[in-house]
Amino acid sequence: MGREQKKRSLPLGLIIAASAVGLVLIAYIFFRPHELLAEETTAQKTRLLMDTVVDVRVDAPNAAQLVDEAFKVMEELEQTLSRFVETSEVAQINQQAGTWVQVSPTTIELIATGMRMGELSQGAFDVTIGAVLDLWGFGSDTRQVPVAAELEAALATVDYRQVELDVQNSRVRIPADTILDLGGIAKGYVVQKAAELLRGANVSRAIINAGGDISVIGQRPDGQPWRVGVQDPAEPASLRWILALDDLSVVTSGDYQRYFEQDGERWHHIIDPKSGYPARGLQSVTVVGPDIVVCDAAATAIFVRGWEAGQRLVLELEGIEAILVSGGEEWISPGLQDKIISR
Ligand code: AMP
Ligand code: MG
């Protein structure tokens, strides 16, 4: 008898509990906290950072403020990571080459990732390429084809394996004469940190584009994946592919992004550390993946490796997909085919 009573009282308890939850929900719907009622707005700004056009678009109740905060994060990182900012940590490492230099964990983290990408690409990606870039004049206003002997001397300073990291004490040491350059990876890092800030603020959707390093958050207002255009390296003003991206990043390295012409040739800024000359063979590499820092370094590395070795590297690196363009030919990695929605 007692048992039966217990059986009957259980559903009643449930009904009471469910009603209570229902009441709370109804109350919540009608008397939502103020910030939930705040209307979602869209804000967008474009600025020049890291010598690159950076564009941030955010949808959120406080979108304008979040765009400003995202730029603040990126500006601070530029002050830390650009070797062209005299007071930056990377500039300090270069100025004091040969001795240990105290830096922040941010700088250590990025150099470590750069070195790992050096290993994974068997030296195609090399963060110590600075002296060679300087001879070509990338990073200054006077660009020229270097004298062969000078190039050879500069190349002797290029070897990412000589960079010493003392993670415990947050110190870095590079050999005397070596010049550290994080240009092939820093844009991705800066975009990643801005995206982290926006995710932390629960924005519904956002797009950050730093000169072709693009990270998206959420989906378009109509619930469809973001569509990201990839430039045609032969005609950079037009888009050759449209990719549908859900919370993924896309990075493009191309010979049209930074170059000068001399003796009827195009000399661009992605250098093959084996020769000291701009890497030949590809016109552009677009990498898609979840980690924009890896995508950024991988795009540069694949570009250096060229058509065949570049394709092999795409297949070797976990989690990334890519489009390679060489002359009239294009290669699209198998996992990317279904993300290309128009061409
Ligand atoms: P990205 O636009 O990401 O392809 O990077 C190009 C930039 O990376 C150049 O402007 C240089 O600062 C740097 N860079 C050029 N060649 C290399 C290389 N072989 N390894 C690493 N960084 C490089
Ligand atoms: Mg890169």
Side-chain angles (χ1 to χ4, degrees):
M1 178 84 163
R3 248 181 164 192
E4 266 171 27
Q5 257 179 356
K6 209 176 175 190
K7 255 189 194 167
R8 249 182 267 128
S9 67
L10 192 63
L12 189 68
L14 269 180
I15 289 165
I16 292 168
S19 318
V21 170
L23 276 176
V24 169
L25 272 179
I26 289 165
Y28 187 73
I29 287 164
F30 283 100
F31 309 103
R32 269 188 292 182
H34 175 72
E35 59 265 34
L36 284 184
L37 279 179
E39 224 171 274
E40 189 163 276
T41 52
T42 301
Q44 190 241 336
K45 257 187 200 169
T46 306
R47 280 193 208 160
L48 199 66
L49 266 181
M50 303 167 288
D51 209 15
T52 304
V53 179
V54 181
D55 189 81
V56 178
R57 175 225 155 114
V58 172
D59 286 9
N62 49 346
Q65 187 194 331
L66 287 169
V67 168
D68 287 342
E69 282 175 23
F71 272 111
K72 192 157 170 270
V73 165
M74 294 194 277
E75 276 158 9
E76 276 169 13
L77 284 172
E78 181 187 22
Q79 296 301 309
T80 307
L81 299 170
S82 168
R83 71 182 175 105
F84 301 109
V85 173
E86 228 174 281
T87 50
S88 79
E89 292 186 356
V90 173
Q92 296 299 312
I93 295 169
N94 286 335
Q95 282 160 27
Q96 298 169 56
T99 61
W100 285 104
V101 180
Q102 196 85 32
V103 294
S104 63
T106 296
T107 302
I108 297 267
E109 183 191 358
L110 194 55
I111 296 174
T113 308
M115 289 167 73
R116 204 179 72 240
M117 292 308 290
E119 265 162 43
L120 291 173
S121 67
Q122 288 157 329
F125 189 82
D126 197 317
V127 290
T128 60
I129 196 77
V132 177
L133 286 165
D134 283 356
L135 271 188
W136 285 94
F138 290 112
S140 76
D141 292 333
T142 40
R143 297 173 178 184
Q144 77 265 310
V145 179
V147 177
E150 285 181 6
L151 202 52
E152 209 167 306
L155 263 181
T157 70
V158 177
D159 185 355
Y160 68 95
R161 291 165 298 190
Q162 304 301 319
V163 176
E164 293 169 280
L165 290 184
D166 174 1
V167 179
Q168 216 158 22
N169 298 304
S170 214
R171 302 186 303 167
V172 185
R173 179 165 67 181
I174 59 172
D177 300 326
T178 290
I179 298 178
L180 194 66
D181 179 287
L182 300 178
I185 193 171
K187 266 185 291 162
Y189 188 79
V190 164
V191 172
Q192 184 182 65
K193 294 298 163 196
E196 272 171 19
L197 170 114
L198 296 178
R199 280 208 176 88
N202 286 325
V203 308
S204 336
R205 51 193 151 264
I207 260 203
I208 307 169
N209 181 356
D213 281 36
I214 302 165
S215 207
V216 300
I217 294 174
Q219 297 179 319
R220 292 194 320 192
D222 62 4
Q224 294 290 312
W226 282 109
R227 280 152 197 218
V228 176
V230 180
Q231 285 167 291
D232 184 347
E235 222 178 297
S238 62
L239 300 176
R240 181 149 156 189
W241 300 274
I242 308 285
L243 306 176
L245 297 184
D246 260 320
D247 280 317
L248 282 173
S249 297
V250 53
V251 172
T252 299
S253 284
D255 70 355
Y256 57 88
Q257 289 171 334
R258 207 164 290 212
Y259 66 92
F260 65 94
E261 272 163 7
Q262 191 179 313
D263 311 325
E265 272 209 63
R266 176 180 292 192
W267 308 94
H268 61 79
H269 66 143
I270 304 172
I271 305 291
D272 184 346
K274 280 206 188 100
S275 66
Y277 282 83
R280 297 285 178 218
L282 295 179
Q283 282 73 58
S284 78
V285 174
T286 296
V287 174
V288 177
D291 183 332
I292 194 168
V293 185
V294 170
C295 289
D296 191 355
T300 310
I302 293 160
F303 193 101
V304 170
R305 291 270 294 252
W307 181 248
E308 271 172 26
Q311 290 177 24
R312 283 203 302 276
L313 186 55
V314 175
L315 300 173
E316 271 165 39
L317 291 174
E318 220 162 288
I320 66 153
E321 303 294 341
I323 304 174
L324 275 57
V325 180
S326 172
E329 282 194 275
E330 65 184 47
W331 177 81
I332 297 171
S333 64
L336 197 60
Q337 307 276 357
D338 63 337
K339 291 199 170 58
I340 296 183
I341 53 173
S342 98
R343 50 166 68 216

